[in-house]
Amino acid sequence: MSRQTKIVATLGPATTSPEAMRAIVEAGVDLVRMNLSHGDHDEHRQRAEALRQAAREAGRVVGILCDLQGPKIRIERFASGPVELEEGQPFFLDPGLEGDAGTAEGVGVAYTGLPEDVQAGDLLLLADGLVQLRVERIEGTRIHTTVVTAGVLSDRKGINRLGGGLSVRALTDKDRRDIKLAAELEADYLAVSFPRDGADLDEARDLLHAAGGHGGVVAKIERHEAVNALAEIMDAADAVMIARGDLAVEIGDAQLPGVQKRIMRMARERDCVVITATQMMQSMVDNPMPTRAEVLDVANAVLDGTDAVMLSEETAVGHYPAETIEAMARVCVGAESYADESRPANHALRDPHFSRVDEAIAKTAIATANSLGVAAIAAMTESGATTMWMSRIGTDIPIYALSEQPRTRTRVTLYRGVHPISFDPTQREHEAVNREAVEELKRRGAVQDEDFVLITKGDLAGVRGGTNAMKVVKVSEILGD
């Protein structure tokens, strides 16, 4: 059984060498994440080229996602190293303090607007919630707090407000520079950190296009405000990422499971691709096997219909990057074998409302394929849109995106159940093209003589959004065997 759920792996020091890059490609990574919070532009350029070289050598298609740092609000630095805060002690945060003047009494803040965004009684969560401060009063730029949860606090840790409400916009000056890098690297996706609404995503897309980029835009759901604006964000984005680290800090751990399931359900309903991320196999940073809890976490995301599962530290700095990808792949395949028992309802077929011809062909093709039990779907696609819509509807039938466009083949690496194939037919007559498509699937071992294949394509080759036809053929008959 071929794996349907896609695996995204973050590049970093652990995957910099050519050997490590080849290992994660051979282990089955579908898309790599370049975390632009770390490293300089030259490092990212080198990693992108190394990744593409490894993919060419392995005969695989692997996409690239560039992840913007965003406006993560951080404290500044301490003069004499980390400080240990005790419960009940006073501690201040002050954007007016020098950047390296922090002490056990207080520390600077990189966001000058913080005093205007908080009020007495607010709970501030530092270092992903490991240290918690209750706001007592604000005097000028200084926020006086009391330590509620004790812990060690070190340089540049993040700050969240429980319940959200910090007004900083999503894109920083650094992000604007990094968007130009994403365009230069021809990234397939650009992930926007901490968006509050659809306008943040529209701005990022406009900047990417202005820089010559053509990738899709991924909205990272990690603010309380984003949860309240999910419909607007999904309509503006090509995909959403459930970034469970900062999201859990803002909404609380107890709310996270329900919100994760809600995001997945809404993403399916609104034809939006979804990635589940953060600490999915965190123990494998240091261990060669995942915990049972991690196995269940990944499996539940798969059963809920996620398009992709993402690894962060596990492959960026972990000791077992390739082994982690292999373990995640095993869990995905195992969970997919039970998908019929928990597959999300096919809302698009129960209450169809199609806005485009190619969308109608794509979604009714899946219903036809499921009913007839075809062995494979061959979607000849210029932009990949047909296969994206197909992937929104549950099916065990592999969907092959046959395209002569390299950009399309890398873009579909994020779509659940979709497998990219380079396809440039030698003839343009319809029956000849169909025959070449089936020949290609048979050559790859995807179909046998007695199998049926469902083909979708457009009357006019090379036209984006032009899919307007569907045909079911028997392999032996179309090949004349």
Side-chain angles (χ1 to χ4, degrees):
M1 177 180 179
S2 61
R3 173 168 51 85
Q4 295 179 310
T5 309
K6 300 306 180 74
I7 295 176
V8 183
T10 303
L11 300 184
T15 45
T16 294
S17 72
E19 295 78 15
M21 198 73 78
R22 284 194 295 270
I24 66 169
V25 169
E26 291 171 359
V29 68
D30 297 291
L31 194 84
V32 298
R33 168 181 175 245
M34 304 183 109
N35 186 356
L36 302 186
S37 298
H38 306 288
D40 59 33
H41 284 193
D42 283 341
E43 287 177 325
H44 294 302
R45 290 185 185 100
Q46 291 165 9
R47 285 174 180 159
E49 178 53 37
L51 178 278
R52 286 171 170 146
Q53 178 63 30
R56 285 192 294 268
E57 291 174 357
R60 296 196 61 238
V61 179
V62 182
I64 292 178
L65 179 151
C66 284
D67 191 344
L68 300 176
Q69 176 175 291
K72 188 173 180 71
I73 300 170
R74 299 180 186 273
I75 62 172
E76 293 287 8
R77 298 176 298 279
F78 293 94
S80 303
V83 300
E84 186 166 354
L85 303 183
E86 297 180 358
E87 184 178 341
Q89 83 170 74
F91 188 78
F92 69 79
L93 302 170
D94 190 345
L97 193 68
E98 290 294 327
D100 57 355
T103 67
E105 296 179 351
V107 69
V109 180
Y111 172 45
T112 59
L114 188 61
E116 287 75 44
D117 281 355
V118 299
Q119 59 186 359
D122 284 349
L123 194 63
L124 300 180
L125 312 174
L126 283 69
D128 291 335
L130 296 178
V131 174
Q132 301 186 11
L133 310 174
R134 183 179 63 248
V135 176
E136 303 295 344
R137 66 187 186 281
I138 297 99
E139 296 178 348
T141 63
R142 185 157 294 188
I143 303 166
H144 296 273
T145 76
T146 299
V147 177
V148 175
T149 302
V152 175
L153 195 59
S154 58
D155 295 350
R156 303 289 296 162
K157 293 301 182 183
I159 304 174
N160 296 81
R161 176 183 176 272
L162 185 63
L166 301 182
S167 61
V168 62
R169 296 300 302 183
L171 297 179
T172 66
D173 290 342
K174 171 178 165 52
D175 294 332
R176 291 180 172 86
R177 293 191 297 271
D178 288 343
I179 286 174
K180 294 179 180 178
L181 174 67
E184 175 193 332
L185 297 178
E186 298 183 343
D188 302 291
Y189 292 94
L190 177 74
V192 180
S193 297
F194 302 100
R196 298 185 308 177
D197 50 35
D200 286 335
L201 304 168
D202 292 338
E203 181 183 4
R205 192 187 303 277
D206 289 344
L207 289 170
L208 182 65
H209 289 173
H214 300 277
V217 174
V218 179
K220 295 172 67 176
I221 308 300
E222 46 195 341
R223 275 182 167 178
H224 195 282
E225 294 91 335
V227 175
N228 293 333
L230 281 175
E232 175 187 346
I233 286 173
M234 287 180 183
D235 288 347
D238 298 287
V240 294
M241 180 191 297
I242 309 173
R244 302 183 302 181
D246 282 287
L247 179 60
V249 173
E250 290 226 351
I251 68 175
D253 289 338
Q255 300 299 316
L256 183 62
V259 169
Q260 175 173 310
K261 289 180 180 291
R262 178 185 166 206
I263 292 170
M264 288 200 199
R265 183 176 64 253
M266 285 187 64
R268 287 271 157 184
E269 292 170 354
R270 305 187 82 86
D271 292 332
C272 187
V273 177
V274 60
I275 306 167
T276 307
T278 315
Q279 295 182 332
M280 302 212 78
M281 287 192 163
Q282 185 70 17
S283 71
M284 289 193 73
V285 170
D286 298 305
N287 299 290
M289 293 292 291
T291 67
R292 298 298 178 265
E294 289 165 343
V295 168
L296 288 170
D297 181 31
V298 173
N300 277 318
V302 171
L303 292 171
D304 283 343
T306 191
D307 285 88
V309 284
M310 193 176 96
L311 298 164
S312 298
E313 292 182 30
E314 301 96 329
T315 53
V317 297
H319 294 100
Y320 305 96
E323 292 87 345
T324 305
I325 293 169
E326 291 169 350
M328 182 169 266
R330 290 194 301 271
V331 175
C332 290
V333 171
E336 288 161 6
S337 67
Y338 292 92
D340 282 339
E341 300 173 20
S342 59
R343 177 173 291 143
N346 287 342
H347 71 281
L349 301 181
R350 185 179 64 246
D351 185 22
H353 293 286
F354 305 134
S355 59
R356 292 170 45 166
V357 172
D358 51 348
E359 178 188 3
I361 292 293
K363 291 179 176 178
T364 54
I366 294 297
T368 302
N370 284 340
S371 298
L372 294 180
V374 303
I377 298 168
M380 298 179 216
T381 179
E382 189 74 14
S383 68
T386 303
T387 57
M388 187 279 290
W389 279 314
M390 287 179 176
S391 70
R392 301 305 86 206
I393 303 173
T395 184
D396 293 329
I397 301 167
I399 303 163
Y400 294 95
L402 280 69
S403 180
E404 59 184 307
Q405 302 296 334
R407 188 179 295 154
T408 297
R409 296 196 296 271
T410 49
R411 185 158 183 163
V412 305
T413 56
L414 190 57
Y415 303 161
R416 180 167 173 151
V418 177
H419 309 280
I421 291 178
S422 176
F423 183 67
D424 186 8
T426 60
Q427 302 181 58
R428 295 301 174 182
E429 190 271 323
H430 288 297
E431 288 306 313
V433 172
N434 290 346
R435 184 167 56 253
E436 287 190 39
V438 173
E439 283 177 343
E440 180 64 23
L441 295 188
K442 185 178 179 183
R443 185 184 70 80
R444 291 170 177 265
V447 295
Q448 306 299 323
D449 286 343
E450 297 305 307
D451 291 333
F452 286 89
V453 176
L454 187 148
I455 299 170
T456 62
K457 68 177 190 300
D459 286 336
L460 299 175
V463 176
R464 296 175 67 87
T467 296
N468 62 2
M470 174 181 73
K471 186 172 186 177
V472 178
V473 300
K474 189 174 183 180
V475 174
S476 61
E477 292 177 359
I478 194 170
L479 296 185
D481 293 344

